[in-house]
Amino acid sequence: LITRAFIHEAPGRRAALALLASGPVFAVLWGSSLISAHAWTWPIPFGATAAFGATLLVVVATLVAVALSPTYRRTRLAGPACGLLVLLDGAMLAAIALTASVVSWPMALAVPASIVRIGLSARTIPRVLAR
């Protein structure tokens, strides 16, 4: 009972749940931003796009594993997942800055939302790994 209570309140599990809950909002924001900016015409190599997508899938799978983890130790995997998410958000912001010729209203919402998520994720990493 005590172990389950610690797992339930683990910082990694709470971070994973928060990121998973906010994920669909970010998907809608970035998806509509990329569609409105005609991202399929950007000069980004297919390998970079595929690597981005694969890394995002790994992050989501890791966060799901952390959220459903029966052990406290596994909840610490949220730290590296948050780190990868910071890198993915940074890569998306860099791609927008370097290749987007038009700023649309979804992009005006997605960019600050990603900046906030970068800050919150980066702040969470030491807390998750310290315990």
Side-chain angles (χ1 to χ4, degrees):
L1 182 64
I2 293 171
T3 303
R4 278 188 285 171
F6 272 108
I7 293 169
H8 183 72
E9 294 299 321
R13 183 176 181 278
R14 292 171 55 184
L17 290 172
L19 289 171
L20 288 170
S22 66
V25 174
F26 280 89
V28 168
L29 285 173
W30 279 113
S32 57
S33 295
L34 295 175
I35 289 169
S36 66
H38 303 283
W40 55 88
T41 63
W42 294 355
I44 297 175
F46 176 75
T49 305
F52 185 92
T55 306
L56 183 59
L57 288 175
V58 167
V59 168
V60 170
T62 303
L63 292 174
V64 168
V66 167
L68 300 175
S69 176
T71 63
Y72 189 84
R73 181 175 289 141
R74 197 173 300 160
T75 62
R76 295 183 67 177
L77 288 174
C82 286
L84 280 174
L85 194 59
V86 167
L87 293 176
L88 289 175
D89 273 334
M92 184 59 81
L93 293 174
I96 290 290
L98 296 173
T99 58
S101 59
V102 176
V103 176
S104 60
W105 70 266
M107 199 178 297
L109 297 174
V111 169
S114 281
I115 291 170
V116 168
R117 184 167 68 173
I118 287 171
L120 293 175
S121 295
R123 192 181 80 177
T124 301
I125 294 170
R127 266 190 274 163
V128 170
L129 296 178
R131 302 195 182 199

